[in-house]
Amino acid sequence: MDSYLIQVNGHGDHAPVLDVHLKNTGNTISPGKVKGRKPRWAVRASEMSKKTFNPVRAIVDSMKVEPNPKKAMISLSLGDPTVFGNLPTNDEVTRAMKEALDSGQYNGYAPSVGYQSCREAVAAYYTCPEAPLKAQDVILTSGCSQAIELALAVLANPGQNILVPRPGFSLYKTLALSMGIEVKLYNLLPEKAWEIDLEHLESLVDEKTACLIVNNPSNPCGSVFSKSHLQEILAVASRQCVPILADEIYGDMVFADCKYEPIATLSTNVPILSCGGLAKRWLVPGWRMGWILIHDRRDIFGNEIRDGLIRLSQRILGPCTIVQGALEHILHRTPPEFYHNTLSILKSNADLCYAALSAIPGLHPVRPAGAMYLMVEIEMEHFPEFENDVEFTERLISEQSVFCLPATCFEYPNFFRVVITVPEEMILEACSRIQEFCEMHYQGAEGAQDLECDK
Ligand SMILES: *Cc1c(COP(=O)(O)O)cnc(C)c1O
């Protein structure tokens, strides 16, 4: 007696599929309730994954160019201050981490928003009379990136929009689009040290605007907003009743001649989620420790947003417990000289780089005031060989083995971004190669006009 019947279904518009049916009673078991539906493999990536797009990767991968084999590669593109070893974290930071590990007390699960003692430590570190913070105003996250993701997820529904700086950090758009949130770009003004074009900003607000992202100090600009400019931004948010998502990961990373103001200290009414973390100021981006500081003195967010953040934090636990165990010591034991030393290196590199690039015909760097970057305008009319910043930076790699990110990565064509965390000798060598490159390709007014006529 046959115990199995093997049946070949050869009809329909797709390949035949083998169906196996038990046949021990004379009745075949029904092949399925839906008539005519034959199971077949069709595993597709989700809509969300397809809407997730990292422009930096896409542009950099498309730049497939080989560096000049005669020159060692110098990369001024990575926003990771640890790659060259010239900016180590402080010994107290690593000691705190070792102690937390050796204590054996941080191997378990922590509460989804972080240990109470760590939330208290962060609140105590950032609280001030103008913007008081308590432990319940702090949510610990896996890096500042997760802080931004949770803040966006709690403030915006699919179909709403957020206001994002141009040029700006590409993560905002990547996260928003993958969540179905629309992005509206507001302009920063290079001739005004990258201040926000406030009229443009305000013109973009509509009834679907869920929040305004303010990144200060800025990646990629290296700019730092003055107190009065921050007050103007707050006035727009207040007038339009739009909450602020402040990306303050470079908070306090400003050069000696200017002052950093946390935006929340300048407002009594605008509700603000301030995102920060250890990555940049403590020079440990791989440790993935970040936080959201909830500033809501008028109770506008209320329990609605707080509970929303707590619920979202419960999806996947964010910050590593060992880093949480070290956090209080990191915040309290890191000596002030460490921060000063980091900033004096960055300031000195910024000055060198700015001076060297300013002297190059066809380039126009914008002097930074903080963070780890500087933006350089390419006067494209003087480089008629190149269509745009992507082509310019591509050729810079193939001829001079110097890699700078084209600012198209930040939605800002005809600029490139220089990272100033690399060792001084590398900055100087890179700038002299950029000079050689520009001198080679620069066309004065006449040359440029000739080419225009040829077109
Ligand atoms: C580096 C960076 C972040 C991300 O910080 P992580 O803690 O590494 O997630 C967020 N915002 C800006 C502007 C950054 O440059």
Side-chain angles (χ1 to χ4, degrees), residues 113-124 132-140 273 292-296 302-303 305-307 309-310:
V113 290
Y115 288 117
Q116 184 68 10
S117 60
C118 296
R119 298 169 76 195
E120 270 161 23
V122 174
L133 286 168
K134 294 210 172 74
Q136 72 260 27
D137 304 320
V138 177
I139 308 253
L140 298 180
L273 297 179
I292 301 174
L293 310 179
I294 306 170
H295 294 280
D296 185 31
N303 287 336
I305 295 298
R306 285 172 195 273
D307 293 348
L309 283 170
I310 292 168

Side-chain angles (χ1 to χ4, degrees), residues 355-361 363 383 392 396 400 402 416 428-442:
L357 296 173
S358 299
I360 300 175
L363 295 188
F383 299 99
F392 182 96
L396 184 58
Q400 297 289 344
V402 171
F416 63 87
L428 290 174
E429 172 64 16
C431 288
S432 93
R433 291 193 202 169
I434 293 172
Q435 174 153 21
E436 189 179 314
F437 177 81
C438 289
E439 282 167 358
M440 189 93 137
H441 298 284
Y442 183 87

Side-chain angles (χ1 to χ4, degrees), residues 195-211:
E195 284 192 348
I196 296 176
D197 180 340
L198 294 161
E199 262 178 49
H200 184 230
L201 171 69
E202 194 154 8
S203 75
L204 296 176
V205 178
D206 64 21
E207 67 287 350
K208 289 183 174 173
T209 302
C211 77

Side-chain angles (χ1 to χ4, degrees), residues 79 142-146 148 169 171-172 215 217-220 247 249-250 276-280 285-286 288-290 372-373 417:
S142 170
C144 182
S145 307
Q146 195 199 10
I148 296 166
F169 188 50
L171 181 70
Y172 312 134
N215 175 214
S218 157
N219 177 7
D247 181 349
I249 185 76
Y250 297 100
L278 290 182
K280 309 291 164 53
R288 313 306 307 137
M289 171 56 78
M372 319 188 311
Y373 316 93
R417 186 192 72 172

Side-chain angles (χ1 to χ4, degrees), residues 325-347:
L327 190 56
E328 186 174 357
H329 285 165
I330 291 174
L331 296 177
H332 287 124
R333 287 196 202 148
T334 306
E337 307 86 78
F338 166 74
Y339 308 116
H340 295 154
N341 183 45
T342 306
L343 283 166
S344 73
I345 292 173
L346 291 175
K347 161 89 170 130

